[in-house]
Amino acid sequence: MPDYKAAIARYEEFLKAYPDDARNDRVLYQLARGYQNIGQTDPAIATLRRLVAEYPRSSLIGDARFRSAELLYNLGRYTEAEADYEFVLGLGPNASFYE
């Protein structure tokens, strides 16, 4: 089994050491996955929101918003999930996760 806690620690260290790295959207995305894989849903959602806020032009935005919507929906936070689902739908039918 992968050591997600070690990976999370490394991603967090990288973000602290290189806060202005242009590729931090990818680091945040993987950090959120790490949190999700160990069942820490709230930190996963917070990290996805950070990605969206700090990197609004990232190619990962659609995926991040969809994953956030799924996590929120599973927690029964339907109004918050709806906003993320609507964002993904607004990207249009050619965007990944549209269906």
Side-chain angles (χ1 to χ4, degrees), residues 37-89:
N37 286 330
I38 64 170
Q40 292 189 11
T41 306
D42 287 332
I45 293 166
T47 303
L48 291 167
R49 287 182 172 169
R50 179 177 170 193
L51 185 162
V52 169
E54 293 181 14
Y55 299 92
R57 290 192 169 93
S58 171
S59 62
L60 299 170
I61 290 294
D63 187 7
R65 294 292 294 261
F66 181 79
R67 288 186 51 226
S68 175
E70 293 285 280
L71 292 170
L72 291 162
Y73 184 87
N74 288 334
L75 291 173
R77 294 164 58 181
Y78 304 119
T79 302
E80 293 173 83
E82 181 180 11
D84 282 333
Y85 284 130
E86 285 179 359
F87 179 89
V88 173
L89 289 174

Side-chain angles (χ1 to χ4, degrees), residues 18-40:
Y18 305 99
D20 299 321
D21 192 292
R23 297 164 294 180
N24 280 349
D25 60 332
R26 287 162 177 74
V27 176
L28 290 166
Y29 181 82
Q30 293 302 327
L31 178 57
R33 286 185 62 176
Y35 282 129
Q36 186 177 354
N37 286 330
I38 64 170
Q40 292 189 11

